[in-house]
Amino acid sequence: MKAFRALCRQLGYSRASAEPSHRAQLSTSSSCFGRKKRTNPYEGVDQGKYSDLVQSVLSSRGPTQTPETLWEEDALLYGPVSRAQLSRQDQEAKSPRNWFPIFNTERDLEPDPRHPSVPLKIPLRRNRVPSVTRVLQHTMSPEQVFYLERWKQRMIMELGEEGFAEYTSNIFLQGKQFHEALESILLPQGNFRERADSLLKCGYIESVQHVLKDVSQVRALESAVQHETLKYAGLLDCVAEYQGKLCVIDWKTSEKPKPFIRNTFDNPLQVVAYMGAINHDANYSFQVQCGLIVVAYKDGSPAHPHFMDADLCAQYWTKWLLRLEEYTEKEKSQTVQKPA
């Protein structure tokens, strides 16, 4: 629009110059007294504050947007979200209706020194109970769904449908190779030992080297768990001692630094869900009271380990029970709505 106005002004000037001088002077004098000076509505805008945002919008090959950067962008434009305080009645309503403990009082808290030398690796069976991942995906908050869909649409605009499919496929493949390399390293006598030597050059493995030094006494690797009472299942990454404490360990990859546990979104719920299941699964004789989320980075920068003690795990366990109840209610309502 600005370019069009400038062109019109140039055309008007060229036509005026071709007419007699007295008409040009008359036109000039009348325009001086007849037209009001236009003011730029954007003069009062803090251009320095929004320079990064303008650059990202105008650049067709700017940095890849993630849900985290979208939240930061909205916070810059509209300010931080002001969350209303829950009333006491609402807080009481947020308690699970069917409480079930995360820890098993019938199991010894002390680790069994006679644990098998080879970590457990129980295959995941096909059954009708939902997986932990499915429960979390189907109970995301509207805010999470909005930003996830917004990020997806922006990625498709930048990469195209095929490019986005290739991007997600590569992310999945990198995560799979990362877990295979970790399994090769953590197994005492694994079949992937030779392959692990080549995968050690991977940035993700380099990123977690300082964490692996504190990991010992591996009890389970890529092993299935199922909670018979609460009716859910999952496939955990690892159960091992971290700095002398037995933990459910979840290995994650990220393109963006996540120095705080709040940056990991629903990952703590995933950890405590596995923990509650393993503590009540007959396939496991030990009990776990701590969790660890390790966020590794492709460029090899040091990973962020987020340790969860028993108290913190108990807090997240309450949130997991609420999500599980929400999922169950949604499934029941969909079953009722289906025609017979």
Side-chain angles (χ1 to χ4, degrees), residues 19-218:
E19 295 176 356
S21 60
H22 66 277
R23 292 186 62 184
Q25 293 175 358
L26 179 61
S27 174
T28 303
S29 61
S30 62
S31 63
C32 290
F33 292 99
R35 293 183 180 180
K36 295 181 179 180
K37 184 179 179 180
R38 293 185 177 181
T39 59
N40 187 355
Y42 300 103
E43 289 180 351
V45 176
D46 187 351
Q47 298 181 7
K49 180 179 180 181
Y50 299 102
S51 59
D52 294 337
L53 175 61
V54 173
Q55 184 177 2
S56 66
V57 172
L58 296 179
S59 177
S60 60
R61 296 189 178 275
T64 303
Q65 290 278 14
T66 64
E68 294 91 342
T69 59
L70 293 178
W71 287 334
E72 293 174 358
E73 181 180 300
D74 285 355
L76 179 65
L77 287 172
Y78 309 113
V81 177
S82 178
R83 301 185 184 275
Q85 295 293 329
L86 293 176
S87 64
R88 184 173 182 179
Q89 183 178 2
D90 292 334
Q91 291 176 355
E92 292 177 354
K94 289 298 182 180
S95 300
R97 291 190 299 271
N98 300 316
W99 175 262
F100 196 91
I102 183 175
F103 305 120
N104 191 343
T105 57
E106 298 180 359
R107 289 190 183 178
D108 192 357
L109 298 179
E110 294 297 328
D112 186 1
R114 299 171 299 176
H115 72 277
S117 58
V118 179
L120 293 173
K121 191 177 176 66
I122 300 173
L124 184 64
R125 298 173 297 175
R126 290 186 176 272
N127 47 47
R128 294 185 178 182
V129 299
S131 66
V132 174
T133 303
R134 178 179 175 84
V135 172
L136 292 176
Q137 288 179 345
H138 284 70
T139 57
M140 288 191 298
S141 67
E143 182 184 24
Q144 287 177 306
V145 174
F146 169 78
Y147 281 111
L148 188 61
E149 182 62 25
R150 183 180 172 188
W151 167 78
K152 179 181 176 181
Q153 294 303 323
R154 285 202 176 190
M155 291 292 291
I156 291 176
M157 289 179 61
E158 182 178 345
L159 304 175
E161 292 280 357
E162 295 182 359
F164 179 71
E166 183 179 357
Y167 169 80
T168 54
S169 177
N170 289 336
I171 293 295
F172 175 79
L173 180 61
Q174 290 174 7
K176 182 180 179 181
Q177 292 176 344
F178 175 52
H179 281 78
E180 288 179 352
L182 286 170
E183 184 178 357
S184 305
I185 296 170
L186 296 173
L187 278 173
Q189 293 179 350
N191 297 327
F192 305 99
R193 179 65 62 180
E194 295 180 0
R195 187 180 177 188
D197 294 337
S198 60
L199 289 174
L200 281 172
K201 299 178 182 179
C202 170
Y204 293 124
I205 296 297
E206 182 182 353
S207 178
V208 298
Q209 284 299 305
H210 67 291
V211 179
L212 291 174
K213 294 178 181 179
D214 293 326
V215 176
S216 62
Q217 303 295 322
V218 181

